[in-house]
Amino acid sequence: DGSHIAARQMLVKLLLEARRPDEAAQVLQEGLQGQPAQIGWAMSLARLQVDRGDFPAAWQTLNHSLPAAGNNADYQGFAAHVLQRLGRHREAAEYYQAATRLAPAEGRWWLGLGLVLEAEGRTVEARDALLRARASG
C-alpha cells in the first residue's frame, strides 16, 4: 500500500541505514507525489538533495510542500537556507523572518536572517538580527 505512511517511513529509514540514499530519495519522491502535506518527507528528501549539492531540486521539493508547512519554523528556516545557497537572498530573508516569528528564541534563524540581510546590503537590519542570534545563545 503506497499510501501507508508508517511503512514508507520505515522503508526510507532502512534504505538510509543501508547507505542507499538514491533509493530512499526515490521512495520519498513517490510518497510526496501523492501526499505533499507530509512535510517530514519533503524535508528528508530536500536534505538528501542538498547532500548531493542539488539545491535547485531541494528548493523544488520544499516549495511543493510549502503550503502544508506554514506553521513549521524548521521548514521555513530550511527553505530559507536553500534559497540562500541559491543566491536568492531577498526570498531567503522572507522565509527566515517567518521562521523567527514562529520560533523567536532559535538563534540559527536569526543568524541566517542576519547573513542574508547583510548580503542584500541591509546592514542595520543585519546587525539587529545578528545581535538577536548572539543573545539567543
Side-chain angles (χ1 to χ4, degrees):
D1 179 4
S3 65
H4 193 276
I5 293 169
R8 187 172 298 275
Q9 286 174 280
M10 180 57 74
L11 178 56
V12 168
K13 180 181 181 214
L14 292 171
L15 288 169
L16 291 172
E17 287 174 356
R19 300 188 195 288
R20 295 164 54 187
D22 293 338
E23 291 174 67
Q26 182 63 36
V27 170
L28 289 166
Q29 280 180 322
E30 291 167 1
L32 284 169
Q33 287 173 359
Q35 299 180 53
Q38 291 294 332
I39 62 173
W41 294 353
M43 289 180 68
S44 293
L45 176 56
R47 281 190 180 99
L48 290 170
Q49 292 164 326
V50 164
D51 288 346
R52 289 193 315 244
D54 193 351
F55 289 93
W59 170 245
Q60 184 177 9
T61 296
L62 293 170
N63 192 42
H64 178 71
S65 294
L66 198 57
N71 293 322
N72 187 299
D74 287 335
Y75 199 98
Q76 299 292 322
F78 187 39
H81 171 73
V82 170
L83 286 166
Q84 179 181 10
R85 294 294 303 265
L86 288 169
R88 295 166 59 178
H89 301 295
R90 181 168 302 205
E91 292 169 272
E94 293 173 19
Y95 286 97
Y96 277 129
Q97 287 168 335
T100 61
R101 280 192 299 276
L102 292 166
E106 182 59 60
R108 61 189 163 147
W109 306 141
W110 287 107
L111 175 61
L113 178 59
L115 294 174
V116 295
L117 291 172
E118 185 176 45
E120 288 241 301
R122 297 163 59 183
T123 56
V124 173
E125 294 170 272
R127 183 178 186 279
D128 291 342
L130 293 170
L131 288 172
R132 294 278 307 258
R134 184 189 305 171
S136 74

